[in-house]
């Protein structure tokens, strides 16, 4: 958009247009007095319903989410919350396009994350004193990433390592930075 397609060599443009973007995420941010120390929690934990990552990826594409991540930053830095309180972030990968409005789907995604987290940390849901959900549309809005792609380009075998675009571009002085 800033330089126009005519300023870019056709072969480079074709290669860039073949790249696919990553999944987005449904996220639930929370504040709680749940005792993560007693539960043996770590500051970052991944939970999967299935060891088959291809099946998990298909779940993400359906909008149900692929596994989920629990992040408790206050286990590393207690000053982020009041004494006896914790911040918790529940995250699952999802597609941006689930065939409906994320405005309508966001609450369902947040509820699903809570049900899954409750299985791992019984009592978490009832101990929450604050929650705020975020959808792929939220990611898009606040990061300006197309379709809320949280990793930029998809991290697939065909798009990692030497297959990833170089930081250098065919345009003198223009470099790619970040996850795109």
């Amino acid at each position: 958009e800033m330089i126009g397609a005519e300023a870019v060599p056709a072969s480079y443009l074709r290669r860039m247009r073949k790249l696919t973007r990553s999944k987005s995420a449904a996220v639930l941010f929370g504040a709680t007095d749940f005792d993560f120390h007693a539960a043996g929690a770590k500051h970052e934990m991944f939970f999967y319903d299935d060891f088959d990552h291809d099946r998990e990826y298909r779940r993400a594409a359906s909008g149900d989410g692929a596994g989920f991540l629990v992040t408790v930053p206050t286990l590393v830095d207690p000053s982020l919350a009041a004494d006896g309180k914790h911040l918790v972030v529940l995250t699952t990968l999802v597609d941006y396009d689930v065939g409906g409005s994320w405005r309508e789907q966001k609450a369902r995604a947040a509820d699903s994350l809570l049900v899954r987290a409750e299985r791992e940390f019984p009592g978490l849901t009832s101990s929450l004193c604050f929650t705020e959900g975020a959808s792929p549309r939220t990611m898009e809005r606040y990061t300006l990433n197309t379709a809320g792609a949280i990793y930029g380009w998809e991290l697939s075998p065909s798009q990692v390592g030497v297959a990833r675009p170089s930081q250098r571009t065919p345009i003198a002085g223009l470099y790619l930075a970040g996850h795109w």
Side-chain angles (χ1 to χ4, degrees):
E1 290 176 10
M2 293 182 350
I3 59 173
E6 65 281 353
V8 181
S11 61
Y12 184 80
L13 200 54
R14 273 193 305 277
R15 182 171 179 249
M16 294 301 283
R17 286 182 173 155
K18 287 181 182 177
L19 295 171
T20 56
R21 66 179 180 265
S22 73
K23 297 286 184 210
S24 188
V27 182
L28 185 73
F29 302 95
T32 179
D33 58 7
F34 185 83
D35 189 350
F36 283 105
H37 292 287
K42 305 299 180 207
H43 85 283
E44 191 170 72
M45 299 157 286
F46 293 85
F47 298 95
Y48 293 96
D49 296 329
D50 195 321
F51 286 110
D52 184 330
H53 286 282
D54 290 328
R55 203 169 7 245
E56 286 286 303
Y57 192 82
R58 286 191 297 276
R59 283 191 59 191
S62 74
D64 289 334
F68 71 105
L69 166 66
V70 177
T71 307
V72 187
T74 44
L75 288 174
V76 175
D77 184 355
S79 73
L80 296 172
D83 286 344
K85 303 283 187 191
H86 282 287
L87 301 179
V88 60
V89 182
L90 310 176
T91 307
T92 189
L93 297 178
V94 294
D95 260 358
Y96 181 86
D97 183 15
V98 290
S101 164
W102 272 106
R103 191 174 303 253
E104 297 165 9
Q105 299 284 339
K106 184 163 70 169
R108 183 183 67 80
D111 289 346
S112 174
L113 278 166
L114 280 175
V115 166
R116 296 163 83 186
E118 183 72 22
R119 282 195 307 249
E120 304 300 329
F121 301 102
L124 174 62
T125 303
S126 63
S127 72
L128 289 165
C129 52
F130 171 83
T131 60
E132 179 66 41
S135 70
R137 179 66 187 102
T138 311
M139 303 302 157
E140 181 179 56
R141 178 179 177 198
Y142 288 100
T143 66
L144 300 179
N145 286 342
T146 302
I150 63 171
Y151 299 120
W153 299 121
E154 180 179 61
L155 298 171
S156 62
S158 64
Q159 293 185 179
V160 296
V162 297
R164 203 115 178 122
S166 169
Q167 292 88 350
R168 294 185 183 276
T169 69
I171 299 169
L174 178 64
Y175 298 91
L176 302 179
H179 56 287
W180 289 103

